[in-house]
């Protein structure tokens, strides 16, 4: 039986119990939270392998909860599966851009929910274990453990996805990544956003990196790469 610990957050007790019941049947250890404040407190005080997070919460909503968790070194690496009745593409994109690993719309099939939770947990286990390594390239310092970036010694504030893309490119300078490869590496092959969303991330990265943004090179008709150190 699985031993992973999952925090389930939903202000509707019947939905919370439905998710809890189905995941517990699969052998997961479940902790529930009925509000954003409760979710943050439990996430910070416990060790969880995944969080199932409703967006429509009283007080601190799910998007703000996700943002705070991803901005904290203690909880940034916990995968988040968002659960919401808001199923428009813009809502899904917003959730994923904040760092969610998947997005499930209500009403949902318990079997589909379980399958997606399994997929996210497998992806977490399969990730390389060098997350604390610090990358130095040109005048950039990229600390994946702290999820921080220094450009010419000055801190640069990046979104979760911008950091993921930069880290991917910087780990293999000179290597050309197609847009699809970037999406797969950053989000997994079931990321429900078009490859063109990568272009938006690259534009944002270059702008925030200023003069150092020139080292992220476009390979026409293929994708992007980080220039190799001379």
């Amino acid at each position: 039986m699985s031993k992973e610990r999952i925090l389930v957050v939903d202000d509707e007790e019947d939905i919370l119990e439905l998710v809890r019941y189905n995941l517990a049947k699969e052998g997961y250890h479940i902790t529930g939270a009925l509000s954003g404040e409760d979710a943050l407190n439990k996430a910070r005080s416990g060790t969880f392998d995944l969080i199932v997070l409703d967006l429509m919460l009283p007080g601190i909503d799910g998007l703000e909860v996700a943002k705070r968790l991803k901005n904290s070194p203690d909880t940034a690496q916990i995968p988040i599966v968002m659960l919401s009745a808001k199923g428009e593409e813009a809502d899904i994109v917003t959730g994923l851009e904040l760092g969610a690993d998947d997005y499930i719309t209500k009403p949902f099939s318990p079997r589909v929910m379980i399958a997606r939770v399994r997929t996210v947990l497998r992806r977490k286990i399969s990730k390389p274990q060098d997350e604390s390594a610090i990358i130095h390239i040109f005048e950039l310092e990229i600390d994946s453990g702290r999820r921080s970036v220094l450009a010419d010694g000055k801190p640069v504030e990046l979104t979760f996805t911008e950091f993921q893309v930069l880290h991917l490119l910087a780990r293999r300078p000179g290597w050309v990544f197609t847009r699809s490869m970037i999406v797969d590496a950053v989000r997994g092959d079931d990321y429900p956003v078009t490859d063109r969303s990568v272009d938006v991330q690259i534009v944002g990265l270059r702008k925030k990196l200023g003069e150092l943004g020139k080292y992220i090179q476009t390979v026409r008709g293929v994708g992007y790469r980080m220039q190799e150190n001379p």
Side-chain angles (χ1 to χ4, degrees), residues 29-70:
H29 296 291
I30 308 302
T31 298
L34 289 166
S35 69
E37 293 88 342
D38 191 21
L40 288 170
N41 289 333
K42 288 179 176 175
R44 290 164 178 163
S45 62
T47 302
F48 293 99
D49 298 287
L50 183 140
I51 298 172
V52 177
L53 177 63
D54 182 36
L55 295 189
M56 304 293 287
L57 297 172
I60 303 174
D61 66 22
L63 291 177
E64 182 62 26
V65 170
K67 183 186 299 184
R68 295 189 189 184
L69 292 175
K70 290 302 180 181

Side-chain angles (χ1 to χ4, degrees), residues 9-128:
V9 187
D10 201 302
D11 66 318
E12 297 182 60
E13 293 192 37
D14 55 342
I15 298 295
L16 178 60
E17 184 55 36
L18 174 66
V19 176
R20 185 207 303 267
Y21 172 77
N22 282 279
L23 291 177
K25 278 203 313 180
E26 299 300 312
Y28 299 113
H29 296 291
I30 308 302
T31 298
L34 289 166
S35 69
E37 293 88 342
D38 191 21
L40 288 170
N41 289 333
K42 288 179 176 175
R44 290 164 178 163
S45 62
T47 302
F48 293 99
D49 298 287
L50 183 140
I51 298 172
V52 177
L53 177 63
D54 182 36
L55 295 189
M56 304 293 287
L57 297 172
I60 303 174
D61 66 22
L63 291 177
E64 182 62 26
V65 170
K67 183 186 299 184
R68 295 189 189 184
L69 292 175
K70 290 302 180 181
N71 285 336
S72 169
D74 294 332
T75 55
Q77 300 304 319
I78 305 175
I80 296 175
V81 174
M82 288 185 172
L83 194 63
S84 178
K86 300 171 69 175
E88 296 297 322
E89 182 176 292
D91 299 317
I92 297 174
V93 170
T94 298
L96 294 171
E97 289 301 324
L98 284 176
D101 294 78
D102 204 346
Y103 192 110
I104 302 173
T105 56
K106 298 177 181 179
F108 60 90
S109 159
R111 292 179 63 185
V112 170
M113 183 264 297
I114 291 168
R116 292 194 172 186
V117 164
R118 285 177 179 161
T119 297
V120 171
L121 286 170
R122 280 199 304 268
R123 192 184 306 155
K124 175 176 183 274
I125 293 170
S126 66
K127 284 184 178 179

Side-chain angles (χ1 to χ4, degrees), residues 31 42-43 46 62 99 144 157 169 213:
T31 298
K42 288 179 176 175
S144 56
E157 294 295 326
L169 298 178

